[in-house]
Amino acid sequence: MAATHTLKAKHRRSALRTLAFLSPWLIGFAVFFAYPMISTVYFSFMHYDGFRPPTWSGTKNWTYVFEHYPFFWPALRNTLWLVVIMVTLRVLFGLGIGMLITKIKTGTGVFRTLFYLPYLAPPVAATMAFAFLLNPGTGPVNSILEKAGIPAPGWFNDPDWSKPALTLMFLWGVGDLMVIFMAALLDVPKEQYEAAELDGASAWQRFRFVTLPTISPIIMFAVVTGVIAAMQCYTQPLVAGKVASGVIQGAGTMFEPGYPEHSTLTLPQLVYNLGFQRFDYGSACVVALVLFALSMAFTALLMRRRGGLIQAGD
Amino acid sequence: MPTRIPEVVRKAAFALTASTALLIGTTACTGQSAAGPEDDASKETTLTFWHAWSAPNEVKAVKALVAGFEKAHPNIHVNVVGNMTDDKINQALRAGGTKAPDVISSFTTNNVGKFCSSGALVDLNPFFKKADIDPNTTFPKAMNEYTQYDLNRCAVPLLGDAYGLYYNKTAFAKAGITAPPKTWSEFEADAKKLTIPQGDTYKQLGFMPNYHGWETTTEHYMGQFSPTYFDRSGRSTIATDPGVTDAFTLQKKLVDDLGGFRKLEKFRSGLGDEWGPKHPFQTGQVAMQLDGEWRLGMALEAKPGFEIGVAPLPVADDQADQYGKGYITGTIAGIAATSKKQNAAWELVKYMTTDTAAVVAFSNAIHNVPSTLAALKSPDLKYDPRFKTFLDIAANPNSTTSPASINGGVYLTTIQQLGYDYESGKVTDLRAGLKKAAEQIDTDIAQAK
């Protein structure tokens, strides 16, 4: 009897110790994930303007967002566009630059710095600089294109070109990926290249069968973090649209993000628009949940697709 | 090797998660104080006043205004906090707390409907009644209108903005135009005469009609057509109001006649900043400009090299007798519902918004239009003779504004969106576009209720 009691006390002590070690995570999880998550779900079913107490509204917010809110579907399409096109191009471009820099013999440091520096530019400043460079009327890019006899696009002022212009800007700031890829590429064992060369493998085959499998966990990391970043894309399209539209928010004027023709509208902008401009927290929560679900779905899909490429030791 | 999570850990985790869920129910409601103001305005107290002005001369003017108040009310001290955005004001009104403002002023009238309907700002009707001040005879009609929603007067006008027409007198003379246009037909003809092409762009554009242009917003244009926006039941009337159709039709015609949307947009994208010295009117690139009273000082400061003319905006041909009216908006002031010093706060609001000498002095310092009928007529007003045009527009009973709505200015952005789509050619059937926009406005309002 006494032995059982001692054993139970030992288990309790062990459990409490475990709990004590886990508590920072548990508190962090509860405060920064569980509470906001549950709140978001809760408020998505409530009518809440931030001033009056929330009232139950059932699925009204969901119906409103999906059926009546005119900006939801364009924003979703734009966000998906950025996720697919921009992330793909960024990964390819980052990898390409990383490979080039690892190959060159002299001036590596200079090129590395040149490609990394734009990444350090604050998003608002970088966007304003690009809005200036790509200004259809006075921008130097279009002046050069026009002089060369190439039709100059409207960039941020043209709905067909605004997302490519944004993508161009994100490619310019690809320094973070370049550094990660460079580290991964330099980590590929040279013996494998030598063995492949002895087997008569071409440059493409060396890349396909040696480089790619070795750096695939890094590519996966770049894609997953890129997808999440694209999902959260807020500042750059907002600033670009605002600068290009020329509409300044002042007395009697309002600026709805997405200029031109909703082409730079993203889901995070809707969360802000609904929550903090329209005071419709319920609908903002619906959009936030859609964003969360999409992020989870993309990440899950990518993690499944990697097909065990990332091993325990990676 | 993974092991089973100890029961006590699981229970603790559950308790934590459940308690956070319970917290939602208890902390989500901000709650409003139902009790009336009980503070004694004759006792020593300190108020916090948030405003949005930021330029050094403006901050100085606000300080002078508050100093005048403190002199008249030695027991009430005011802690002035400037450069506040509407986002910060909204947050503070929701949260309350010891550092939250008792009195706020905001540059936009778009949120008034939301502030009134939600109770974020207190209804000032009882205060006005107690002070024996009739807002209807104190403030210009349009300003009186945009500071209340559904008979709840939660805001007061604190200086106003009136929109008129700025024109390049030198360019007018060169084009052989002797007087500013009074009707839209005359305006259209003048805009064409004043447009000087240069290659595939313009040396001088008569007027920038694109809704994405400077101040050429839908509501500013539509003010000249006196639309109703809503019927008595609160439903949108934009699909049936002929003024709205006329405004859209005129704007589209101007866009088409002056070069087309793409060409105008390309020209617009190369123009200087609205608030900088390279504003296209100031540089002579655009000969006529729809703008507020503040532009006069800015334009004169830029030393444009031509003579600036100021006039009311034209009116529809069949409303020629209403020439002189304009669109009105402005800054508003209100008392936070969370304030525990509402009687003292009212003394500050009353002084800033209804004391003629204070309003006139503030107007002289800020160069905005005074917001009371008495101040508009005050001999103490100091201004450039051209500024008189805006004083007259503000006092004109036919001048209009966009009414407060329960969801703020959402209906205006819906109309603006239709404007973008119509001017660019994305929407070709205006009637159908207006019908759809009206339905959207009604849906958005239903969602906000």
Side-chain angles (χ1 to χ4, degrees):
Chain A
M1 201 56 191
T4 315
H5 190 75
T6 313
L7 199 65
K8 269 189 179 175
K10 201 177 170 188
H11 272 305
R12 195 176 298 121
R13 272 201 306 276
S14 163
L16 284 171
R17 201 166 44 241
T18 313
L19 189 62
F21 279 114
L22 273 176
S23 59
W25 180 86
L26 277 174
I27 292 166
F29 177 81
V31 173
F32 297 112
F33 185 79
Y35 174 69
M37 189 69 209
I38 295 165
S39 300
T40 310
V41 174
Y42 169 82
F43 283 115
S44 74
F45 294 101
M46 306 300 282
H47 180 268
Y48 184 42
D49 60 10
F51 295 106
R52 289 166 294 187
T55 52
W56 176 255
S57 64
T59 55
K60 195 181 166 195
N61 296 327
W62 292 82
T63 314
Y64 176 71
V65 168
F66 289 123
E67 291 181 15
H68 303 299
Y69 185 44
F71 305 134
F72 176 73
W73 294 108
L76 181 67
R77 278 195 294 273
N78 293 336
T79 301
L80 293 178
W81 193 98
L82 291 175
V83 164
V84 176
I85 309 285
M86 191 184 79
V87 173
T88 308
L89 289 176
R90 257 178 67 84
V91 170
L92 289 175
F93 192 61
L95 180 59
I97 299 289
M99 286 181 74
L100 275 176
I101 292 181
T102 52
K103 298 281 180 212
I104 57 172
K105 303 286 180 204
T106 51
T108 315
V110 175
F111 284 109
R112 216 185 288 177
T113 311
L114 278 177
F115 280 105
Y116 189 73
L117 270 179
Y119 174 68
L120 300 175
V124 174
T127 313
M128 291 186 82
F130 262 73
F132 166 77
L133 290 171
L134 301 178
N135 185 304
T138 54
V141 173
N142 276 15
S143 301
I144 294 166
L145 290 175
E146 276 165 10
K147 274 178 193 160
I150 301 166
W155 301 114
F156 290 120
N157 289 74
D158 183 339
D160 296 331
W161 279 95
S162 54
K163 281 190 286 290
L166 269 178
T167 306
L168 205 65
M169 189 173 71
F170 281 111
L171 290 182
W172 175 72
V174 82
D176 57 332
L177 285 186
M178 177 204 71
V179 169
I180 293 167
F181 280 127
M182 271 178 61
L185 289 164
L186 292 170
D187 218 24
V188 181
K190 280 187 180 159
E191 303 80 43
Q192 290 187 17
Y193 286 122
E194 286 163 7
E197 242 173 305
L198 285 173
D199 287 343
S202 64
W204 165 247
Q205 284 169 325
R206 286 201 298 277
F207 173 75
R208 171 70 185 82
F209 297 108
V210 177
T211 312
L212 213 52
T214 316
I215 66 163
S216 64
I218 305 301
I219 294 178
M220 183 55 62
F221 169 79
V223 172
V224 171
T225 52
V227 166
I228 292 167
M231 290 268 186
Q232 293 174 345
C233 196
Y234 174 83
T235 309
Q236 292 90 339
L238 184 78
V239 174
K242 206 163 186 173
V243 172
S245 75
V247 175
I248 306 290
Q249 198 168 347
T253 62
M254 277 188 83
F255 175 74
E256 284 277 338
Y259 175 85
E261 294 177 29
H262 310 311
S263 62
T264 55
L265 197 61
T266 59
L267 289 176
Q269 289 178 22
L270 294 197
V271 177
Y272 184 82
N273 178 255
L274 283 166
F276 299 104
Q277 290 185 303
R278 296 193 177 193
F279 307 154
D280 183 356
Y281 287 95
S283 300
C285 286
V286 172
V287 179
L289 287 171
V290 169
L291 201 55
F292 176 74
L294 275 175
S295 301
M296 291 296 284
F298 268 110
T299 311
L301 187 74
L302 288 165
M303 298 307 273
R304 273 175 71 90
R305 288 286 297 164
R306 73 185 164 83
L309 280 171
I310 304 172
Q311 303 301 322
D314 289 332
Chain B
M1 189 177 157
T3 54
R4 196 170 70 89
I5 300 171
E7 194 181 0
V8 64
V9 177
R10 279 191 288 120
K11 279 182 179 168
F14 174 77
L16 257 175
T17 312
S19 61
T20 53
L22 280 173
L23 266 173
I24 295 164
T26 53
T27 60
C29 318
T30 53
Q32 300 294 332
S33 167
E38 289 168 358
D39 63 304
D40 186 349
S42 64
K43 286 194 174 161
E44 198 78 11
T45 188
T46 301
L47 296 172
T48 301
F49 169 45
W50 282 17
H51 66 83
W53 284 285
S54 59
N57 70 313
E58 295 171 340
V59 172
K60 198 176 151 194
V62 176
K63 277 186 183 164
L65 177 69
V66 170
F69 168 75
E70 286 177 325
K71 200 175 170 190
H73 298 77
N75 62 307
I76 306 176
H77 311 284
V78 185
N79 174 27
V80 184
V81 185
N83 199 18
M84 280 295 166
T85 64
D86 261 35
D87 284 350
K88 287 182 194 168
I89 290 172
N90 292 338
Q91 184 59 33
L93 289 176
R94 275 195 294 268
T98 51
K99 290 191 176 176
D102 299 291
V103 177
I104 61 104
S105 84
S106 163
F107 279 172
T108 174
T109 56
N110 286 334
N111 285 331
V112 168
K114 194 52 153 176
F115 287 149
C116 294
S117 62
S118 63
L121 296 178
V122 295
D123 183 3
L124 299 173
N125 276 320
F127 291 97
F128 271 103
K129 204 173 173 186
K130 205 172 159 189
D132 201 22
I133 300 171
D134 181 2
N136 299 314
T137 54
T138 304
F139 306 115
K141 188 171 163 280
M143 293 184 189
N144 193 33
E145 195 182 329
Y146 67 60
T147 44
Q148 55 182 318
Y149 171 74
D150 206 15
L151 300 178
N152 179 334
R153 170 180 300 284
C154 71
V156 199
L158 175 60
L159 300 193
D161 295 316
Y163 285 83
L165 176 73
Y166 288 86
Y167 62 98
N168 182 331
K169 270 191 170 176
T170 313
F172 264 51
K174 275 186 194 164
I177 308 166
T178 53
K182 289 188 173 177
T183 65
W184 287 119
S185 301
E186 290 171 17
F187 180 85
E188 202 183 340
D190 291 348
K192 280 192 223 170
K193 271 189 215 167
L194 291 160
T195 298
I196 306 167
Q198 188 175 58
D200 63 348
T201 182
Y202 307 90
K203 186 182 177 194
Q204 176 182 283
L205 180 65
F207 180 68
M208 171 50 79
N210 284 13
Y211 278 138
H212 279 116
W214 284 260
E215 302 296 346
T216 320
T217 62
T218 46
E219 68 266 30
H220 293 175
Y221 249 136
M222 283 173 193
Q224 297 309 105
F225 295 85
S226 304
T228 51
Y229 289 108
F230 297 103
D231 64 16
R232 284 187 176 194
S233 64
R235 293 184 71 83
S236 172
T237 54
I238 63 160
T240 50
D241 192 314
V244 176
T245 311
D246 291 349
F248 272 114
T249 308
L250 167 81
Q251 189 262 358
K252 177 68 173 159
K253 194 164 185 306
L254 280 168
V255 169
D256 293 342
D257 288 354
L258 294 174
F261 177 72
R262 295 270 163 219
K263 191 175 169 182
L264 288 166
E265 275 297 274
K266 192 178 173 189
F267 179 65
R268 192 183 63 76
S269 66
L271 299 174
D273 173 32
E274 178 176 11
W275 304 110
K278 298 282 181 194
H279 183 286
F281 175 72
Q282 291 159 199
T283 56
Q285 288 164 289
V286 173
M288 292 192 286
Q289 175 71 32
L290 185 172
D291 223 323
E293 77 286 344
W294 61 83
R295 176 61 51 198
L296 183 60
M298 292 173 81
L300 290 172
E301 204 172 301
K303 297 185 177 62
F306 58 83
E307 204 184 336
I308 298 168
V310 179
L313 274 164
V315 291
D317 294 26
D318 59 354
Q319 292 178 2
D321 57 326
Q322 289 190 17
Y323 178 70
K325 69 179 176 182
Y327 179 80
I328 309 285
T329 182
T331 306
I332 55 120
I335 298 173
T338 50
S339 170
K340 290 185 168 53
K341 306 161 189 169
Q342 292 178 7
N343 283 323
W346 163 247
E347 291 302 325
L348 175 62
V349 169
K350 186 173 72 172
Y351 176 83
M352 291 195 300
T353 60
T354 63
D355 184 295
T356 305
V359 173
V360 168
F362 194 38
S363 174
N364 283 338
I366 298 267
H367 303 301
N368 277 174
V369 171
S371 43
T372 65
L373 290 166
L376 279 164
K377 292 175 202 153
S378 169
D380 296 331
L381 271 179
K382 293 174 200 154
Y383 50 82
D384 182 291
R386 285 169 286 194
F387 194 77
K388 176 81 166 56
T389 305
F390 297 103
L391 299 177
D392 293 340
I393 292 169
N396 191 313
N398 290 317
S399 287
T400 62
T401 187
S402 31
S405 161
I406 190 167
N407 57 353
V410 172
Y411 75 98
L412 292 174
T413 57
T414 304
I415 297 169
Q416 182 91 337
Q417 191 57 55
L418 174 63
Y420 296 157
D421 292 343
Y422 188 53
E423 71 180 3
S424 67
K426 199 176 165 191
V427 165
T428 50
D429 185 344
L430 179 60
R431 192 181 290 267
L434 283 168
K435 195 167 174 284
K436 200 176 158 197
E439 285 166 4
Q440 183 66 48
I441 290 167
D442 291 339
T443 308
D444 288 336
I445 286 173
Q447 171 66 14
K449 278 182 177 167

